[in-house]
PDB file of all heavy atoms in Angstrom:
ATOM      1  N   HIS A  26     -11.616  -7.605  -9.744  1.00 63.00           N
ATOM      2  CA  HIS A  26     -10.400  -8.037  -9.012  1.00 63.00           C
ATOM      3  C   HIS A  26     -10.667  -8.006  -7.532  1.00 63.00           C
ATOM      4  O   HIS A  26     -11.399  -7.215  -7.074  1.00 63.00           O
ATOM      5  CB  HIS A  26      -9.230  -7.129  -9.388  1.00 63.00           C
ATOM      6  CG  HIS A  26      -8.919  -7.170 -10.868  1.00 63.00           C
ATOM      7  ND1 HIS A  26      -8.440  -8.334 -11.407  1.00 63.00           N
ATOM      8  CD2 HIS A  26      -8.880  -6.190 -11.814  1.00 63.00           C
ATOM      9  CE1 HIS A  26      -8.294  -8.065 -12.764  1.00 63.00           C
ATOM     10  NE2 HIS A  26      -8.495  -6.818 -12.998  1.00 63.00           N
ATOM     11  N   SER A  29      -7.193  -4.812  -3.133  1.00 97.00           N
ATOM     12  CA  SER A  29      -5.817  -4.845  -2.814  1.00 97.00           C
ATOM     13  C   SER A  29      -5.641  -5.066  -1.215  1.00 97.00           C
ATOM     14  O   SER A  29      -6.357  -4.485  -0.464  1.00 97.00           O
ATOM     15  CB  SER A  29      -5.074  -3.495  -3.034  1.00 97.00           C
ATOM     16  OG  SER A  29      -3.905  -3.474  -2.528  1.00 97.00           O
ATOM     17  N   ALA A  43     -19.272  23.179  -1.183  1.00 98.00           N
ATOM     18  CA  ALA A  43     -20.200  24.072  -1.669  1.00 98.00           C
ATOM     19  C   ALA A  43     -19.829  24.469  -3.105  1.00 98.00           C
ATOM     20  O   ALA A  43     -18.657  24.932  -3.331  1.00 98.00           O
ATOM     21  CB  ALA A  43     -20.313  25.289  -0.846  1.00 98.00           C
ATOM     22  N   ALA A  72     -11.969  28.858  -9.197  1.00 97.00           N
ATOM     23  CA  ALA A  72     -10.678  28.894  -9.817  1.00 97.00           C
ATOM     24  C   ALA A  72     -10.235  27.480 -10.101  1.00 97.00           C
ATOM     25  O   ALA A  72     -10.501  26.577  -9.223  1.00 97.00           O
ATOM     26  CB  ALA A  72      -9.757  29.570  -8.813  1.00 97.00           C
ATOM     27  N   GLY A  75      -4.237  22.982 -12.559  1.00 98.00           N
ATOM     28  CA  GLY A  75      -4.000  21.669 -13.082  1.00 98.00           C
ATOM     29  C   GLY A  75      -2.633  21.318 -13.323  1.00 98.00           C
ATOM     30  O   GLY A  75      -1.672  22.106 -13.234  1.00 98.00           O
ATOM     31  N   ALA A  76      -2.379  19.990 -13.394  1.00 98.00           N
ATOM     32  CA  ALA A  76      -1.033  19.452 -13.793  1.00 98.00           C
ATOM     33  C   ALA A  76      -1.303  18.228 -14.574  1.00 98.00           C
ATOM     34  O   ALA A  76      -2.282  17.496 -14.338  1.00 98.00           O
ATOM     35  CB  ALA A  76      -0.215  19.160 -12.633  1.00 98.00           C
ATOM     36  N   SER A  84      -2.618  12.292 -24.438  1.00 96.00           N
ATOM     37  CA  SER A  84      -3.881  12.071 -25.127  1.00 96.00           C
ATOM     38  C   SER A  84      -4.544  13.434 -25.488  1.00 96.00           C
ATOM     39  O   SER A  84      -4.231  14.493 -25.051  1.00 96.00           O
ATOM     40  CB  SER A  84      -4.846  11.306 -24.232  1.00 96.00           C
ATOM     41  OG  SER A  84      -5.267  12.105 -23.167  1.00 96.00           O
ATOM     42  N   SER A 146     -11.488  13.895 -19.184  1.00 98.00           N
ATOM     43  CA  SER A 146     -10.435  12.904 -19.137  1.00 98.00           C
ATOM     44  C   SER A 146     -11.080  11.603 -19.535  1.00 98.00           C
ATOM     45  O   SER A 146     -12.203  11.320 -19.390  1.00 98.00           O
ATOM     46  CB  SER A 146      -9.900  12.788 -17.701  1.00 98.00           C
ATOM     47  OG  SER A 146      -9.221  13.923 -17.403  1.00 98.00           O
ATOM     48  N   THR A 186      -8.469  -0.872 -13.630  1.00 91.00           N
ATOM     49  CA  THR A 186      -8.023  -2.027 -12.967  1.00 91.00           C
ATOM     50  C   THR A 186      -7.856  -1.753 -11.431  1.00 91.00           C
ATOM     51  O   THR A 186      -7.453  -2.572 -10.662  1.00 91.00           O
ATOM     52  CB  THR A 186      -6.646  -2.517 -13.402  1.00 91.00           C
ATOM     53  OG1 THR A 186      -5.671  -1.512 -13.327  1.00 91.00           O
ATOM     54  CG2 THR A 186      -6.696  -2.962 -14.824  1.00 91.00           C
ATOM     55  N   THR A 188      -8.749  -1.532  -7.657  1.00 97.00           N
ATOM     56  CA  THR A 188      -9.555  -2.399  -6.802  1.00 97.00           C
ATOM     57  C   THR A 188     -10.331  -1.698  -5.716  1.00 97.00           C
ATOM     58  O   THR A 188     -11.084  -2.371  -5.036  1.00 97.00           O
ATOM     59  CB  THR A 188      -8.610  -3.517  -6.185  1.00 97.00           C
ATOM     60  OG1 THR A 188      -7.819  -2.839  -5.109  1.00 97.00           O
ATOM     61  CG2 THR A 188      -7.744  -4.270  -7.159  1.00 97.00           C
ATOM     62  N   LYS A 191     -10.576   5.775  -4.513  1.00 98.00           N
ATOM     63  CA  LYS A 191      -9.655   6.478  -3.673  1.00 98.00           C
ATOM     64  C   LYS A 191     -10.208   7.962  -3.342  1.00 98.00           C
ATOM     65  O   LYS A 191     -10.591   8.634  -4.203  1.00 98.00           O
ATOM     66  CB  LYS A 191      -8.274   6.564  -4.404  1.00 98.00           C
ATOM     67  CG  LYS A 191      -7.649   5.283  -4.620  1.00 98.00           C
ATOM     68  CD  LYS A 191      -6.742   5.192  -5.790  1.00 98.00           C
ATOM     69  CE  LYS A 191      -6.308   3.755  -6.158  1.00 98.00           C
ATOM     70  NZ  LYS A 191      -7.457   3.020  -6.755  1.00 98.00           N
ATOM     71  N   GLY A 192     -10.136   8.223  -2.031  1.00 98.00           N
ATOM     72  CA  GLY A 192     -10.572   9.490  -1.661  1.00 98.00           C
ATOM     73  C   GLY A 192      -9.729   9.934  -0.446  1.00 98.00           C
ATOM     74  O   GLY A 192      -9.214   9.220   0.354  1.00 98.00           O
ATOM     75  N   ASP A 201     -13.541  32.508   9.914  1.00 93.00           N
ATOM     76  CA  ASP A 201     -14.823  32.541   9.197  1.00 93.00           C
ATOM     77  C   ASP A 201     -15.370  31.266   8.927  1.00 93.00           C
ATOM     78  O   ASP A 201     -16.233  31.059   8.028  1.00 93.00           O
ATOM     79  CB  ASP A 201     -14.612  33.344   7.852  1.00 93.00           C
ATOM     80  CG  ASP A 201     -14.114  34.758   8.063  1.00 93.00           C
ATOM     81  OD1 ASP A 201     -14.532  35.290   9.050  1.00 93.00           O
ATOM     82  OD2 ASP A 201     -13.285  35.243   7.214  1.00 93.00           O
ATOM     83  N   ARG A 205     -12.829  23.463   3.393  1.00 98.00           N
ATOM     84  CA  ARG A 205     -12.883  22.014   3.189  1.00 98.00           C
ATOM     85  C   ARG A 205     -12.200  21.591   1.866  1.00 98.00           C
ATOM     86  O   ARG A 205     -12.329  22.310   0.870  1.00 98.00           O
ATOM     87  CB  ARG A 205     -14.308  21.585   3.213  1.00 98.00           C
ATOM     88  CG  ARG A 205     -15.028  21.818   4.521  1.00 98.00           C
ATOM     89  CD  ARG A 205     -16.467  21.330   4.438  1.00 98.00           C
ATOM     90  NE  ARG A 205     -17.184  21.530   5.713  1.00 98.00           N
ATOM     91  CZ  ARG A 205     -17.880  22.598   6.021  1.00 98.00           C
ATOM     92  NH1 ARG A 205     -17.927  23.616   5.222  1.00 98.00           N
ATOM     93  NH2 ARG A 205     -18.386  22.653   7.243  1.00 98.00           N
ATOM     94  N   ALA A 207     -11.774  18.021  -0.561  1.00 98.00           N
ATOM     95  CA  ALA A 207     -12.105  16.647  -0.833  1.00 98.00           C
ATOM     96  C   ALA A 207     -11.550  16.208  -2.115  1.00 98.00           C
ATOM     97  O   ALA A 207     -11.820  16.915  -3.139  1.00 98.00           O
ATOM     98  CB  ALA A 207     -13.643  16.437  -0.825  1.00 98.00           C
ATOM     99  N   LYS A 211      -7.961   7.965  -9.321  1.00 98.00           N
ATOM    100  CA  LYS A 211      -7.881   6.600  -9.786  1.00 98.00           C
ATOM    101  C   LYS A 211      -6.423   6.353 -10.304  1.00 98.00           C
ATOM    102  O   LYS A 211      -5.808   7.223 -10.749  1.00 98.00           O
ATOM    103  CB  LYS A 211      -8.923   6.275 -10.898  1.00 98.00           C
ATOM    104  CG  LYS A 211      -8.659   6.926 -12.272  1.00 98.00           C
ATOM    105  CD  LYS A 211      -7.668   6.159 -13.132  1.00 98.00           C
ATOM    106  CE  LYS A 211      -8.089   4.716 -13.390  1.00 98.00           C
ATOM    107  NZ  LYS A 211      -7.029   3.912 -13.974  1.00 98.00           N
ATOM    108  N   MET A 215       0.484   1.457 -14.994  1.00 96.00           N
ATOM    109  CA  MET A 215       1.051   2.533 -15.793  1.00 96.00           C
ATOM    110  C   MET A 215       1.215   3.727 -14.997  1.00 96.00           C
ATOM    111  O   MET A 215       0.765   4.848 -15.296  1.00 96.00           O
ATOM    112  CB  MET A 215       0.184   2.725 -17.053  1.00 96.00           C
ATOM    113  CG  MET A 215       1.015   3.413 -18.160  1.00 96.00           C
ATOM    114  SD  MET A 215       0.023   3.708 -19.648  1.00 96.00           S
ATOM    115  CE  MET A 215       0.152   2.045 -20.440  1.00 96.00           C
ATOM    116  N   ILE A 216       1.900   3.603 -13.820  1.00 97.00           N
ATOM    117  CA  ILE A 216       2.047   4.682 -12.837  1.00 97.00           C
ATOM    118  C   ILE A 216       3.552   4.964 -12.665  1.00 97.00           C
ATOM    119  O   ILE A 216       4.290   4.216 -12.044  1.00 97.00           O
ATOM    120  CB  ILE A 216       1.440   4.239 -11.470  1.00 97.00           C
ATOM    121  CG1 ILE A 216      -0.073   4.006 -11.616  1.00 97.00           C
ATOM    122  CG2 ILE A 216       1.695   5.329 -10.441  1.00 97.00           C
ATOM    123  CD1 ILE A 216      -0.919   5.162 -11.947  1.00 97.00           C
ATOM    124  N   ALA A 217       3.995   6.027 -13.276  1.00 97.00           N
ATOM    125  CA  ALA A 217       5.251   6.653 -13.030  1.00 97.00           C
ATOM    126  C   ALA A 217       5.056   8.108 -13.457  1.00 97.00           C
ATOM    127  O   ALA A 217       5.640   8.558 -14.398  1.00 97.00           O
ATOM    128  CB  ALA A 217       6.382   6.049 -13.738  1.00 97.00           C
ATOM    129  N   MET A 220       4.302  14.637 -13.935  1.00 97.00           N
ATOM    130  CA  MET A 220       3.330  15.821 -14.124  1.00 97.00           C
ATOM    131  C   MET A 220       4.067  17.170 -14.039  1.00 97.00           C
ATOM    132  O   MET A 220       4.962  17.342 -13.300  1.00 97.00           O
ATOM    133  CB  MET A 220       2.378  15.775 -12.913  1.00 97.00           C
ATOM    134  CG  MET A 220       1.773  14.333 -12.687  1.00 97.00           C
ATOM    135  SD  MET A 220       0.533  13.961 -13.773  1.00 97.00           S
ATOM    136  CE  MET A 220      -0.818  14.860 -13.070  1.00 97.00           C
TER     137      MET A 220
ATOM    138  N   LEU B  12      -5.648   9.555 -12.524  1.00 98.00           N
ATOM    139  CA  LEU B  12      -6.488  10.743 -12.650  1.00 98.00           C
ATOM    140  C   LEU B  12      -6.809  11.207 -11.263  1.00 98.00           C
ATOM    141  O   LEU B  12      -7.177  10.338 -10.418  1.00 98.00           O
ATOM    142  CB  LEU B  12      -7.801  10.419 -13.417  1.00 98.00           C
ATOM    143  CG  LEU B  12      -7.669   9.870 -14.807  1.00 98.00           C
ATOM    144  CD1 LEU B  12      -9.008   9.575 -15.409  1.00 98.00           C
ATOM    145  CD2 LEU B  12      -6.919  10.869 -15.757  1.00 98.00           C
ATOM    146  N   TYR B  14      -8.933  14.371  -9.035  1.00 98.00           N
ATOM    147  CA  TYR B  14      -9.788  15.626  -8.963  1.00 98.00           C
ATOM    148  C   TYR B  14      -9.911  16.003  -7.528  1.00 98.00           C
ATOM    149  O   TYR B  14     -10.334  15.206  -6.710  1.00 98.00           O
ATOM    150  CB  TYR B  14     -11.092  15.275  -9.634  1.00 98.00           C
ATOM    151  CG  TYR B  14     -10.922  14.779 -11.049  1.00 98.00           C
ATOM    152  CD1 TYR B  14     -10.877  13.366 -11.244  1.00 98.00           C
ATOM    153  CD2 TYR B  14     -10.624  15.626 -12.081  1.00 98.00           C
ATOM    154  CE1 TYR B  14     -10.582  12.912 -12.591  1.00 98.00           C
ATOM    155  CE2 TYR B  14     -10.266  15.140 -13.328  1.00 98.00           C
ATOM    156  CZ  TYR B  14     -10.293  13.730 -13.607  1.00 98.00           C
ATOM    157  OH  TYR B  14     -10.013  13.291 -14.790  1.00 98.00           O
ATOM    158  N   PHE B  16     -11.378  19.046  -4.891  1.00 98.00           N
ATOM    159  CA  PHE B  16     -12.294  20.163  -4.763  1.00 98.00           C
ATOM    160  C   PHE B  16     -12.184  20.832  -3.431  1.00 98.00           C
ATOM    161  O   PHE B  16     -12.002  20.051  -2.416  1.00 98.00           O
ATOM    162  CB  PHE B  16     -13.712  19.624  -5.027  1.00 98.00           C
ATOM    163  CG  PHE B  16     -13.900  18.934  -6.355  1.00 98.00           C
ATOM    164  CD1 PHE B  16     -13.641  17.565  -6.426  1.00 98.00           C
ATOM    165  CD2 PHE B  16     -14.266  19.612  -7.457  1.00 98.00           C
ATOM    166  CE1 PHE B  16     -13.772  16.892  -7.676  1.00 98.00           C
ATOM    167  CE2 PHE B  16     -14.379  18.980  -8.710  1.00 98.00           C
ATOM    168  CZ  PHE B  16     -14.149  17.688  -8.760  1.00 98.00           C
ATOM    169  N   THR B  17     -12.202  22.136  -3.372  1.00 98.00           N
ATOM    170  CA  THR B  17     -12.153  22.857  -2.164  1.00 98.00           C
ATOM    171  C   THR B  17     -13.063  24.039  -2.299  1.00 98.00           C
ATOM    172  O   THR B  17     -13.280  24.545  -3.304  1.00 98.00           O
ATOM    173  CB  THR B  17     -10.730  23.248  -1.781  1.00 98.00           C
ATOM    174  OG1 THR B  17     -10.815  24.088  -0.634  1.00 98.00           O
ATOM    175  CG2 THR B  17     -10.026  24.057  -2.884  1.00 98.00           C
ATOM    176  N   ASP B  18     -13.588  24.495  -1.111  1.00 98.00           N
ATOM    177  CA  ASP B  18     -14.386  25.696  -1.159  1.00 98.00           C
ATOM    178  C   ASP B  18     -13.459  26.866  -0.827  1.00 98.00           C
ATOM    179  O   ASP B  18     -14.081  27.956  -0.651  1.00 98.00           O
ATOM    180  CB  ASP B  18     -15.566  25.462  -0.160  1.00 98.00           C
ATOM    181  CG  ASP B  18     -15.134  25.176   1.196  1.00 98.00           C
ATOM    182  OD1 ASP B  18     -13.846  25.246   1.527  1.00 98.00           O
ATOM    183  OD2 ASP B  18     -15.930  24.830   2.096  1.00 98.00           O
ATOM    184  N   GLN B  27      -2.583  27.699  -8.716  1.00 98.00           N
ATOM    185  CA  GLN B  27      -1.697  26.906  -9.632  1.00 98.00           C
ATOM    186  C   GLN B  27      -0.313  26.820  -8.959  1.00 98.00           C
ATOM    187  O   GLN B  27       0.400  25.798  -9.039  1.00 98.00           O
ATOM    188  CB  GLN B  27      -1.645  27.610 -10.999  1.00 98.00           C
ATOM    189  CG  GLN B  27      -0.846  26.771 -12.015  1.00 98.00           C
ATOM    190  CD  GLN B  27      -1.419  25.416 -12.365  1.00 98.00           C
ATOM    191  OE1 GLN B  27      -2.489  25.360 -12.800  1.00 98.00           O
ATOM    192  NE2 GLN B  27      -0.603  24.392 -12.006  1.00 98.00           N
ATOM    193  N   ASN B  39       4.396  13.090  -8.298  1.00 98.00           N
ATOM    194  CA  ASN B  39       5.691  12.774  -9.034  1.00 98.00           C
ATOM    195  C   ASN B  39       6.674  12.010  -8.136  1.00 98.00           C
ATOM    196  O   ASN B  39       7.909  11.879  -8.520  1.00 98.00           O
ATOM    197  CB  ASN B  39       6.349  14.087  -9.496  1.00 98.00           C
ATOM    198  CG  ASN B  39       5.661  14.537 -10.832  1.00 98.00           C
ATOM    199  OD1 ASN B  39       4.790  13.957 -11.263  1.00 98.00           O
ATOM    200  ND2 ASN B  39       6.106  15.752 -11.325  1.00 98.00           N
ATOM    201  N   VAL B  43       4.552   2.782  -9.724  1.00 98.00           N
ATOM    202  CA  VAL B  43       4.158   1.315  -9.513  1.00 98.00           C
ATOM    203  C   VAL B  43       4.931   0.416 -10.512  1.00 98.00           C
ATOM    204  O   VAL B  43       5.518  -0.538 -10.119  1.00 98.00           O
ATOM    205  CB  VAL B  43       2.588   1.235  -9.869  1.00 98.00           C
ATOM    206  CG1 VAL B  43       2.288  -0.299 -10.051  1.00 98.00           C
ATOM    207  CG2 VAL B  43       1.794   1.822  -8.870  1.00 98.00           C
ATOM    208  N   ASP B  44       5.017   0.775 -11.739  1.00 97.00           N
ATOM    209  CA  ASP B  44       5.639  -0.045 -12.784  1.00 97.00           C
ATOM    210  C   ASP B  44       6.631   0.642 -13.662  1.00 97.00           C
ATOM    211  O   ASP B  44       7.018   0.184 -14.699  1.00 97.00           O
ATOM    212  CB  ASP B  44       4.581  -0.754 -13.495  1.00 97.00           C
ATOM    213  CG  ASP B  44       3.517   0.158 -14.032  1.00 97.00           C
ATOM    214  OD1 ASP B  44       3.832   1.388 -14.109  1.00 97.00           O
ATOM    215  OD2 ASP B  44       2.461  -0.275 -14.361  1.00 97.00           O
ATOM    216  N   THR B  47       4.688   5.524 -17.792  1.00 97.00           N
ATOM    217  CA  THR B  47       3.995   6.734 -17.668  1.00 97.00           C
ATOM    218  C   THR B  47       2.814   6.711 -18.556  1.00 97.00           C
ATOM    219  O   THR B  47       2.985   6.405 -19.733  1.00 97.00           O
ATOM    220  CB  THR B  47       4.918   7.916 -17.908  1.00 97.00           C
ATOM    221  OG1 THR B  47       5.948   7.936 -17.039  1.00 97.00           O
ATOM    222  CG2 THR B  47       4.137   9.226 -17.888  1.00 97.00           C
ATOM    223  N   THR B  49      -0.398   8.115 -20.908  1.00 96.00           N
ATOM    224  CA  THR B  49      -0.560   9.317 -21.824  1.00 96.00           C
ATOM    225  C   THR B  49      -1.783  10.059 -21.362  1.00 96.00           C
ATOM    226  O   THR B  49      -2.119  11.074 -22.040  1.00 96.00           O
ATOM    227  CB  THR B  49      -0.906   8.715 -23.271  1.00 96.00           C
ATOM    228  OG1 THR B  49      -2.027   7.804 -23.175  1.00 96.00           O
ATOM    229  CG2 THR B  49       0.313   8.121 -23.789  1.00 96.00           C
ATOM    230  N   LEU B  53      -4.379  15.961 -13.358  1.00 98.00           N
ATOM    231  CA  LEU B  53      -4.776  16.458 -12.067  1.00 98.00           C
ATOM    232  C   LEU B  53      -5.549  17.778 -12.200  1.00 98.00           C
ATOM    233  O   LEU B  53      -4.908  18.711 -12.825  1.00 98.00           O
ATOM    234  CB  LEU B  53      -3.581  16.641 -11.150  1.00 98.00           C
ATOM    235  CG  LEU B  53      -3.713  17.605  -9.918  1.00 98.00           C
ATOM    236  CD1 LEU B  53      -4.690  16.999  -8.884  1.00 98.00           C
ATOM    237  CD2 LEU B  53      -2.387  17.897  -9.298  1.00 98.00           C
ATOM    238  N   ALA B  57     -11.235  25.231  -6.904  1.00 98.00           N
ATOM    239  CA  ALA B  57     -11.579  25.998  -5.670  1.00 98.00           C
ATOM    240  C   ALA B  57     -12.834  26.874  -5.961  1.00 98.00           C
ATOM    241  O   ALA B  57     -12.787  27.799  -6.776  1.00 98.00           O
ATOM    242  CB  ALA B  57     -10.355  26.982  -5.308  1.00 98.00           C
ATOM    243  N   THR B  58     -13.916  26.537  -5.234  1.00 98.00           N
ATOM    244  CA  THR B  58     -15.228  27.178  -5.603  1.00 98.00           C
ATOM    245  C   THR B  58     -15.367  28.556  -5.048  1.00 98.00           C
ATOM    246  O   THR B  58     -16.309  29.254  -5.413  1.00 98.00           O
ATOM    247  CB  THR B  58     -16.350  26.281  -5.040  1.00 98.00           C
ATOM    248  OG1 THR B  58     -16.307  26.250  -3.641  1.00 98.00           O
ATOM    249  CG2 THR B  58     -16.280  24.903  -5.736  1.00 98.00           C
ATOM    250  N   THR B  63     -12.826  33.430   4.087  1.00 89.00           N
ATOM    251  CA  THR B  63     -11.628  34.273   3.936  1.00 89.00           C
ATOM    252  C   THR B  63     -10.872  33.904   2.699  1.00 89.00           C
ATOM    253  O   THR B  63     -10.558  32.764   2.355  1.00 89.00           O
ATOM    254  CB  THR B  63     -10.707  33.969   5.114  1.00 89.00           C
ATOM    255  OG1 THR B  63     -11.484  33.924   6.359  1.00 89.00           O
ATOM    256  CG2 THR B  63      -9.534  34.939   5.308  1.00 89.00           C
ATOM    257  N   GLN B  90      -2.352   6.174  -2.021  1.00 98.00           N
ATOM    258  CA  GLN B  90      -3.418   5.195  -2.352  1.00 98.00           C
ATOM    259  C   GLN B  90      -3.186   4.571  -3.690  1.00 98.00           C
ATOM    260  O   GLN B  90      -3.528   3.483  -3.907  1.00 98.00           O
ATOM    261  CB  GLN B  90      -4.713   5.886  -2.146  1.00 98.00           C
ATOM    262  CG  GLN B  90      -5.162   6.138  -0.764  1.00 98.00           C
ATOM    263  CD  GLN B  90      -6.603   6.580  -0.613  1.00 98.00           C
ATOM    264  OE1 GLN B  90      -7.490   5.937  -1.163  1.00 98.00           O
ATOM    265  NE2 GLN B  90      -6.806   7.712  -0.068  1.00 98.00           N
ATOM    266  N   ARG B  93      -0.812   1.933  -3.228  1.00 98.00           N
ATOM    267  CA  ARG B  93      -1.434   0.870  -2.490  1.00 98.00           C
ATOM    268  C   ARG B  93      -2.278   0.075  -3.361  1.00 98.00           C
ATOM    269  O   ARG B  93      -2.575  -1.170  -3.078  1.00 98.00           O
ATOM    270  CB  ARG B  93      -2.256   1.413  -1.307  1.00 98.00           C
ATOM    271  CG  ARG B  93      -1.360   1.970  -0.167  1.00 98.00           C
ATOM    272  CD  ARG B  93      -2.275   2.476   0.893  1.00 98.00           C
ATOM    273  NE  ARG B  93      -1.458   3.073   2.033  1.00 98.00           N
ATOM    274  CZ  ARG B  93      -0.907   2.205   2.932  1.00 98.00           C
ATOM    275  NH1 ARG B  93      -1.154   0.939   2.881  1.00 98.00           N
ATOM    276  NH2 ARG B  93      -0.185   2.776   3.808  1.00 98.00           N
ATOM    277  N   ASP B  94      -2.765   0.586  -4.528  1.00 98.00           N
ATOM    278  CA  ASP B  94      -3.546  -0.185  -5.461  1.00 98.00           C
ATOM    279  C   ASP B  94      -2.710  -0.639  -6.609  1.00 98.00           C
ATOM    280  O   ASP B  94      -3.286  -0.999  -7.652  1.00 98.00           O
ATOM    281  CB  ASP B  94      -4.768   0.674  -5.916  1.00 98.00           C
ATOM    282  CG  ASP B  94      -5.950  -0.156  -6.228  1.00 98.00           C
ATOM    283  OD1 ASP B  94      -5.869  -1.477  -6.150  1.00 98.00           O
ATOM    284  OD2 ASP B  94      -6.955   0.343  -6.845  1.00 98.00           O
ATOM    285  N   GLU B  96      -1.014  -2.569  -9.361  1.00 96.00           N
ATOM    286  CA  GLU B  96      -1.526  -3.840  -9.839  1.00 96.00           C
ATOM    287  C   GLU B  96      -0.760  -5.043  -9.215  1.00 96.00           C
ATOM    288  O   GLU B  96       0.524  -5.144  -9.366  1.00 96.00           O
ATOM    289  CB  GLU B  96      -1.431  -3.870 -11.347  1.00 96.00           C
ATOM    290  CG  GLU B  96      -2.519  -2.943 -11.922  1.00 96.00           C
ATOM    291  CD  GLU B  96      -2.294  -2.723 -13.362  1.00 96.00           C
ATOM    292  OE1 GLU B  96      -1.236  -2.863 -13.949  1.00 96.00           O
ATOM    293  OE2 GLU B  96      -3.314  -2.255 -14.053  1.00 96.00           O
ATOM    294  N   ARG B 214       0.893 -11.446  -9.840  1.00 94.00           N
ATOM    295  CA  ARG B 214      -0.360 -10.967 -10.135  1.00 94.00           C
ATOM    296  C   ARG B 214      -0.370  -9.727 -11.141  1.00 94.00           C
ATOM    297  O   ARG B 214      -1.270  -9.559 -11.893  1.00 94.00           O
ATOM    298  CB  ARG B 214      -1.028 -10.476  -8.756  1.00 94.00           C
ATOM    299  CG  ARG B 214      -2.402  -9.915  -8.895  1.00 94.00           C
ATOM    300  CD  ARG B 214      -3.515 -10.980  -9.039  1.00 94.00           C
ATOM    301  NE  ARG B 214      -4.765 -10.460  -9.178  1.00 94.00           N
ATOM    302  CZ  ARG B 214      -5.630 -10.662 -10.159  1.00 94.00           C
ATOM    303  NH1 ARG B 214      -5.352 -11.470 -11.160  1.00 94.00           N
ATOM    304  NH2 ARG B 214      -6.813 -10.027 -10.249  1.00 94.00           N
TER     305      ARG B 214
END
Side-chain angles (χ1 to χ4, degrees):
Chain A
H26 296 300
S29 166
S84 70
S146 294
T186 58
T188 68
K191 297 155 189 75
D201 297 329
R205 298 181 176 89
K211 71 85 53 194
M215 201 179 275
I216 300 294
M220 314 280 280
Chain B
L12 301 179
Y14 305 97
F16 303 89
T17 174
D18 52 11
Q27 185 66 59
N39 280 356
V43 167
D44 49 18
T47 300
T49 54
L53 160 68
T58 64
T63 312
Q90 287 189 53
R93 288 178 178 280
D94 207 7
E96 289 169 339
R214 182 78 181 124

